[in-house]
Amino acid sequence: MAERADNVPVRSDFSLLIDGELRSSSTSLEVINPATGSVFATCPKAGDAELDEAVRAARAAFTEWRSTSYEERRVLIGQLADVLRANQDWLAELLTTEQGKPLSQSVAEIDRGAAQSEGMATIEIPVETLIDNEQSNIELHYRPLGVVGIITPWNAPVNLALGPLVSALYTGNTAVLKPSPYTPLTTLKLGELLNDVFPAGVINVLAGGDELGQAMTEHPDIDKISFTGSVATGKKVLASAAATLKRVTLELGGNDPAIILDDADPQAIAKKIFFASFVNSGQVCMAIKRIYAHESLYDELCEALVAEAKNAKVGSGLDPETQLGPIQNKMQYEKVLDILEDTKDAGARILVGGDVPDGPGYFIPPTLVTDVDETSRIVTEEQFGPVVPILKYSDLEDAIARANDTRYGLSGSVWTSDPERGRAIAARLEVGTAWVNQHRATSAFVPFGGAKESGYGRQYSAIGLKGYMEPEVISVAK
Ligand code: NAD
């Protein structure tokens, strides 16, 4: 085992998975523990040659895999879920060490990945009869696309890999999976574990940098890209995929509004709103990123949220007391600090937080800001960190207009003591998912994805699964 200069042993027990073989490579990636800011592991880094091999393997495996039945694939996906649960403890510890989130949330991420996988594999994709009359019988069949390239971000590496991976496999496709270079390790271990479940070549896992992601989008023998990440990269993926007319699902960033109506009870909702904003230290695509509160309860809500922030324990995710871990990487840490500075410069008032401790680690305490200029970066950009504005409104129409005044459209929520009133207002949010009295609730049976620039297509449910399939009309004259 290699050692760093400060004598911390560096793990290197990681491999790529290509065609059923665990492989090393000539170059490697260094992985940093965000709670310490130090390298704690290295892993092999794939380049163009490994990508070509992985795509060839996936293409070769597709011939047999596509002819297996849904039932056969469902059985293997059940085994995938079993393997996740059997290895949950050490996988969760590795996930926390590379990603930063509290251990209990890593355990929950793996648990949820297993449950979502099993859920997706119960969804039926039947042949649909469109017309059946004296002249003809016309059916709609769905067939797999081929090789799916899956590209994931660093905020929830296990969940965001399993959603597209299980969608691809269950619908009869094979896969090449590339995690973020910031968090490749748990995904590589997942590949190792799943190699004992699936036939060689069905799943291939390559760690690599942004250039490997780009090469996947350009590869002529990949049929579909499932990408989860930022809006800016999503646009590059779509443009690049156009050259080969790849099918594309894009799960992108959000700037989710929560509208608190005048009839809500601030004490009853503060905890839910706090954690929907700050879980994973705000590094969640569908976290609440702007809170619009009616003037009649604004002060009381601010007070209740400040109390939650003061109670939240920030620290290393490996400490069982920790509720909020560090920012996952230095680039994102500096971006959030930059937005915080910009917010202060624009004259906003910091209600709680704002003082960033000296290192080591990329820690920012939960920070709530008010008296914010609506055109400042904290309102218009996706902060993706633990700094959240609370904005006052007096007229509900104005609040809805401000909530919708963005190119983002991932999700949003309405908080009220009258759920039917909430439903009517939720329906006016320009988003993929609008919740009432909750935020961040998703399911294998419910489509998730973004409106506007927050996405393209959906993940989960029959709608999501059909995004991994080509509809084919079979039209028979009678
Ligand atoms: P990112 O776009 O920087 O990177 C995501 C992945 O894309 C990484 O694996 C990266 O290596 C790869 N990549 C980079 N450049 C590429 C290119 N030109 N072509 C192909 N691949 C390329 O995103 P990030 O910083 O890792 O993740 C944070 C973002 O992800 C946030 O905006 C967040 O909201 C979003 N996100 C969205 C969802 C969702 O379901 N909608 C879920 C989680 C995160």
Side-chain angles (χ1 to χ4, degrees):
M1 193 181 273
E3 278 193 358
R4 274 171 37 86
D6 55 6
N7 294 334
V8 179
V10 173
R11 279 185 69 172
S12 58
D13 55 317
F14 301 95
S15 309
L16 311 175
L17 176 63
I18 302 174
D19 202 11
E21 282 181 22
L22 299 178
R23 297 264 300 268
S24 60
S25 69
S26 55
T27 53
S28 60
L29 282 172
E30 290 193 324
V31 184
I32 289 172
N33 174 348
T36 64
S38 300
V39 173
F40 81 101
T42 65
C43 71
K45 180 181 183 198
D48 288 347
E50 284 91 355
L51 175 60
D52 280 341
E53 280 187 70
V55 173
R56 261 201 308 278
R59 175 66 55 199
F62 177 57
T63 310
E64 265 191 48
W65 183 249
R66 70 176 305 171
S67 64
T68 55
S69 66
Y70 281 104
E71 184 49 37
E72 286 169 294
R73 300 194 291 256
R74 182 175 301 134
V75 168
L76 294 190
I77 289 164
Q79 289 175 21
L80 167 154
D82 293 344
V83 162
L84 281 170
R85 292 189 181 111
N87 293 278
Q88 188 168 31
D89 290 348
W90 67 265
L91 277 176
E93 193 172 326
L94 181 61
L95 178 57
T96 286
T97 312
E98 68 173 338
Q99 202 286 328
K101 66 182 64 179
L103 199 51
S104 60
Q105 288 168 29
S106 291
V107 169
E109 180 172 336
I110 293 165
D111 223 22
R112 183 171 174 67
Q116 298 268 78
S117 299
E118 287 170 331
M120 275 188 280
T122 64
I123 296 170
E124 305 278 345
I125 311 284
V127 171
E128 297 163 29
T129 300
L130 303 180
I131 291 177
D132 189 23
N133 59 22
E134 283 173 6
Q135 288 82 40
S136 61
N137 173 280
I138 304 180
E139 291 178 340
L140 188 58
H141 293 230
Y142 292 90
R143 54 181 167 80
L145 292 168
V147 177
V148 177
I150 299 168
I151 303 173
T152 61
W154 43 257
N155 61 328
V158 173
N159 235 327
L160 298 174
L162 284 170
L165 181 66
V166 169
S167 302
L169 300 183
Y170 178 58
T171 51
N173 302 278
T174 55
V176 177
L177 166 61
K178 186 199 92 68
S180 164
Y182 292 113
T183 53
L185 304 178
T186 321
T187 311
L188 290 173
K189 286 294 177 196
L190 203 63
E192 250 180 72
L193 292 168
L194 297 185
N195 194 29
D196 295 334
V197 176
F198 291 88
V202 169
I203 301 175
N204 303 273
V205 184
L206 303 178
D210 297 351
E211 66 293 340
L212 182 67
Q214 185 178 335
M216 289 168 72
T217 65
E218 291 167 356
H219 203 290
D221 219 19
I222 290 182
D223 303 284
K224 174 184 171 101
I225 293 287
S226 178
F227 171 83
T228 308
S230 62
V231 170
T233 311
K235 289 179 180 175
K236 290 186 197 165
V237 169
L238 190 57
S240 175
T244 45
L245 281 180
K246 285 179 179 46
R247 303 310 187 249
V248 172
T249 300
L250 302 177
E251 292 287 346
L252 308 178
N255 193 3
D256 284 16
I259 303 181
I260 322 300
L261 302 191
D262 54 4
D263 61 3
D265 175 355
Q267 302 304 330
I269 62 176
K271 193 177 274 307
K272 283 188 191 169
I273 290 185
F274 180 78
F275 281 101
S277 307
F278 289 96
V279 68
N280 202 10
S281 291
Q283 302 164 106
V284 177
C285 55
M286 59 181 124
I288 294 174
K289 301 197 173 106
R290 298 173 287 153
I291 302 171
Y292 288 96
H294 189 262
E295 59 184 358
S296 62
L297 47 69
Y298 184 83
D299 291 338
E300 194 184 344
L301 182 70
C302 286
E303 226 171 89
L305 289 172
V306 166
E308 294 293 338
K310 285 184 174 159
N311 277 335
K313 168 107 173 46
V314 180
S316 162
L318 294 173
D319 176 346
E321 301 283 295
T322 293
Q323 290 169 294
L324 303 177
I327 302 300
Q328 199 282 321
N329 59 68
K330 192 156 184 278
M331 176 271 305
Q332 185 64 24
Y333 173 73
E334 284 170 356
K335 181 183 159 189
V336 177
L337 289 186
D338 225 42
I339 291 180
L340 182 58
E341 274 318 299
D342 180 82
T343 309
K344 287 178 183 166
D345 290 349
R349 201 154 50 87
I350 308 281
L351 289 178
V352 66
D355 294 322
V356 178
D358 292 335
Y362 310 133
F363 292 98
I364 300 178
T367 301
L368 287 159
V369 298
T370 186
D371 297 341
V372 177
D373 174 357
E374 196 95 358
T375 63
S376 66
R377 291 181 61 195
I378 188 69
V379 179
T380 60
E381 289 184 24
E382 181 190 38
Q383 65 273 49
F384 219 59
V387 182
V388 178
I390 316 180
L391 306 145
K392 195 185 285 187
Y393 74 88
S394 48
D395 171 37
L396 183 55
E397 290 302 318
D398 173 53
I400 296 169
R402 285 155 71 189
N404 285 334
D405 185 18
T406 170
R407 287 300 303 150
Y408 289 100
L410 192 57
S411 32
S413 52
V414 179
W415 300 76
T416 170
S417 57
D418 179 351
E420 284 313 313
R421 186 180 174 215
R423 187 197 303 275
I425 293 161
R428 295 179 59 193
L429 293 180
E430 296 164 1
V431 294
T433 303
W435 290 286
V436 176
N437 291 334
Q438 58 179 347
H439 198 109
R440 232 167 63 81
T442 58
S443 151
F445 306 103
V446 178
F448 184 79
K452 296 175 169 177
E453 292 191 6
S454 284
Y456 206 89
R458 293 291 183 269
Q459 209 75 259
Y460 301 117
S461 80
I463 293 179
L465 292 177
K466 286 176 183 172
Y468 291 77
M469 307 190 86
E470 194 65 57
E472 180 180 0
V473 172
I474 312 285
S475 183
V476 180
K478 285 187 179 170

